[in-house]
Amino acid sequence: MSTNILDIDEKVIVMVEKAEDELKDVFKEIDRICLLNTKKVMGAFCKNKISEIHFNATTGYAYDDIGREAIEKVYSDIFHTEDALVRIQFVNGTHALSTALMSNLVYGDILLSITGAPYDTLAETVGIKENPLSLIAKGVKYIEVELENNDFNYEKIETKIKENNVTMIFIGKSRGYSSRESLSVDKIQKVIKKIKELDKNILVMVDNCYGEFVEEMEPTDVGADIIAGSLIKNIGGGLCETGGYIAGKSECVKRAAETLTAPGIGKECGATLGKNREILQGLFLAPQAVKNALKSAILIAKTLETLGYKSTPKAEEKRADIIQMIEFGNKDKLIAFIQGIQEASPIDSFVKPMPWSMPGYNHDVIMAAGTFISGASIELSADAPIKEPYIAYMQGGLTYESAKIAICYSLNKMLGGKI
Ligand SMILES: *Cc1c(COP(=O)(O)O)cnc(C)c1O
């Protein structure tokens, strides 16, 4: 590396590789899950006889786009659902989630979120932040129950269900950018069982962003009626340029499709413009991309733990998403680390991220994202609000090796030779 601008002190590399050695068993378990998920994806490809004809581009109305139809069958086979909607017309994950919510809730319905407030970008969909088009503005009643000790608050959930004629329950699997923990499929299974015992007609929806392929099972394997997510995160495998998906009960997916397009049109239209191959190849690579992202997150956690920093989740802890939090406790170290991640990115390595006051945030924010796909957080990325205790949220890593180099480089920069 000596002629490379990515110069790293040998001592830093030794430290990171020592942490790596100690992670052998954790990595082995991740390899095991990746193998199972790869098999699941391959099985769905075989079953649906995916072939080059499915890569053909359609334009205009795109009736009978066989590639699009095959993709949606493959998704529903992977998630074990009755149907799926996988579209480049979804502008992001929020759009897919919002469509799932908006289409399956009508005037007079009751939405109960049991993981506290949904992800920030859904605040106006729900109406927690005022918007004349929100669910609340359209006559949907919204209630929420916070998690307790990082698990569902069963007592409160039961009370709310008994007091209200709940239509839909919302679960956020990933912590997103909050301090709560992410929820494993096991925990989700337990709560869904309880919900359905109380009232089998309640629909359960899960925000599956950042969660796909992290575990052996998906929320739909344990009773979730509808899930949604983004194609520029886990399930796009780093290849998808845009899009989102919804999978679940046919009735729910049909309503979502007729909300995305128009009543009576539903899933029948939607040009794929040559993106079908990307969606399929991205899906094929996705378990691998998730594996690399998980190993990268765990390597960061382990290395920084050995240096005395606090990480959440801990390196060895079981994971339900790909997000890693590191508490730097010091502004300069946080900024140096994040700038290091940018400098060691394949794209825009020459850009120096600086803290700035981003609209919608109370504090300055610094972000590193040297990505091929703009905003794709399955690629190595990091961001942090500039406030105590100086926590960075990191995720992604399309290849483990590139993330490892970025981690070494960032540490080297942060430690400034003091090792
Ligand atoms: C990313 C994400 C979303 C959707 O965000 P987009 O940026 O619109 O794709 C929703 N929920 C969670 C937990 C997420 O991580």
Side-chain angles (χ1 to χ4, degrees):
M1 302 281 292
S2 59
T3 55
N4 198 305
I5 54 165
L6 287 176
D7 253 334
I8 303 165
D9 188 327
E10 194 56 35
K11 278 183 276 190
V12 173
I13 297 171
V14 168
M15 178 177 70
V16 171
E17 292 191 334
K18 186 163 170 285
E20 193 177 41
D21 274 346
E22 288 165 17
L23 291 168
K24 281 211 177 84
D25 290 344
V26 185
F27 281 11
K28 216 167 150 185
E29 172 63 8
I30 291 171
D31 290 338
R32 186 185 72 84
I33 292 172
C34 177
L35 186 68
L36 290 172
N37 283 321
T38 302
K39 188 159 176 273
K40 193 174 1 175
V41 171
M42 287 171 75
F45 275 57
C46 294
K47 183 178 164 208
N48 291 287
K49 298 190 165 65
I50 298 304
S51 159
E52 200 172 348
I53 50 164
H54 296 121
F55 304 159
N56 285 346
T58 55
T59 55
Y61 299 117
Y63 289 110
D64 304 316
D65 180 321
I66 58 166
R68 187 189 67 213
E69 288 170 2
I71 286 168
E72 291 177 340
K73 285 220 175 68
V74 166
Y75 264 64
S76 47
D77 284 339
I78 287 168
F79 287 117
H80 304 115
T81 55
E82 291 171 3
D83 204 355
L85 181 68
V86 185
R87 299 293 165 124
I88 58 169
Q89 283 80 12
F90 281 123
V91 302
N92 55 20
T94 305
H95 186 194
L97 287 155
S98 174
T99 303
L101 286 165
M102 291 283 184
S103 56
N104 284 288
L105 291 162
V106 296
Y107 182 89
D109 282 350
I110 299 178
L111 171 65
L112 167 62
S113 172
I114 58 171
T115 45
Y119 192 67
D120 282 354
T121 58
L122 291 167
E124 288 184 56
T125 289
V126 176
I128 298 166
K129 186 168 174 220
E130 213 175 287
N131 185 303
L133 297 174
S134 73
L135 289 168
I136 292 175
K138 289 179 176 172
V140 173
K141 185 177 164 191
Y142 171 73
I143 36 184
E144 69 185 32
V145 170
E146 294 287 338
L147 292 176
E148 196 182 57
N149 300 325
N150 290 313
D151 201 348
F152 297 102
N153 187 331
Y154 281 85
E155 216 171 289
K156 281 216 178 116
I157 293 169
E158 184 165 350
T159 311
K160 295 286 183 199
I161 291 175
K162 286 185 171 156
E163 281 173 0
N164 302 276
N165 189 10
V166 174
T167 320
M168 182 195 278
I169 282 187
F170 182 89
I171 297 172
K173 183 178 202 289
S174 167
R175 63 162 26 96
Y177 299 113
S178 69
S179 56
R180 73 164 178 94
E181 272 183 35
S182 305
L183 295 157
S184 66
V185 171
D186 279 351
K187 283 183 181 167
I188 292 174
Q189 175 166 35
K190 227 177 109 212
V191 83
I192 294 180
K193 187 163 172 279
K194 180 74 191 169
I195 293 163
K196 300 280 178 175
E197 272 166 23
L198 289 165
D199 181 352
K200 66 174 179 12
N201 294 318
I202 295 177
L203 286 175
V204 177
M205 169 167 167
V206 177
D207 173 352
N208 208 27
C209 283
Y210 283 141
E212 300 93 354
F213 300 140
V214 171
E215 302 179 73
E216 282 175 57
M217 287 200 291
E218 299 292 331
T220 43
D221 291 318
V222 296
D225 299 295
I226 184 163
I227 56 171
S230 165
L231 299 197
I232 65 162
K233 290 183 180 170
N234 302 20
I235 201 157
L239 280 191
C240 289
E241 291 176 318
T242 188
Y245 77 91
I246 295 173
K249 289 240 163 76
S250 3
E251 188 54 30
C252 296
V253 173
K254 182 171 191 284
R255 293 177 72 101
E258 297 208 337
T259 302
L260 172 67
T261 61
I265 305 291
K267 289 179 72 179
E268 303 300 317
C269 286
T272 52
L273 311 173
K275 296 293 171 198
N276 288 346
R277 182 195 51 78
E278 244 166 51
I279 295 177
L280 286 163
Q281 196 174 352
L283 176 60
F284 176 70
L285 295 172
Q288 176 88 16
V290 171
K291 176 183 84 172
N292 290 332
L294 285 169
K295 288 185 178 176
S296 307
I298 291 166
L299 184 64
I300 294 168
K302 185 75 182 177
T303 313
L304 283 155
E305 279 167 25
T306 61
L307 286 171
Y309 294 92
K310 193 177 154 213
S311 62
T312 317
K314 296 250 167 303
E316 271 97 358
E317 228 168 294
K318 182 173 154 43
R319 282 158 197 260
D321 66 19
I322 62 168
I323 299 179
Q324 182 64 51
M325 283 164 71
I326 302 286
E327 191 176 312
F328 285 88
N330 173 299
K331 183 177 165 184
D332 295 335
K333 284 192 171 141
L334 171 80
I335 292 174
F337 192 83
I338 295 211
Q339 286 177 343
I341 294 289
Q342 183 76 39
E343 284 168 27
S345 293
I347 309 302
D348 291 339
S349 57
F350 52 88
V351 170
K352 199 181 187 83
M354 299 299 260
W356 64 299
S357 67
M358 219 176 127
Y361 289 84
N362 300 327
H363 302 271
D364 281 3
V365 177
I366 184 166
M367 295 182 168
T371 59
F372 290 91
I373 309 292
S374 181
S377 40
I378 185 65
E379 300 181 48
L380 186 63
S381 47
D383 37 66
I386 305 295
K387 63 168 184 185
E388 302 236 20
Y390 301 107
I391 293 174
Y393 296 83
M394 315 188 59
Q395 61 275 312
L398 280 182
T399 75
Y400 173 70
E401 286 72 16
S402 65
K404 179 177 161 182
I405 291 165
I407 293 163
C408 291
Y409 179 82
S410 286
L411 272 176
N412 191 69
K413 188 176 165 79
M414 183 183 101
L415 295 169
K418 289 189 218 85
I419 178 164

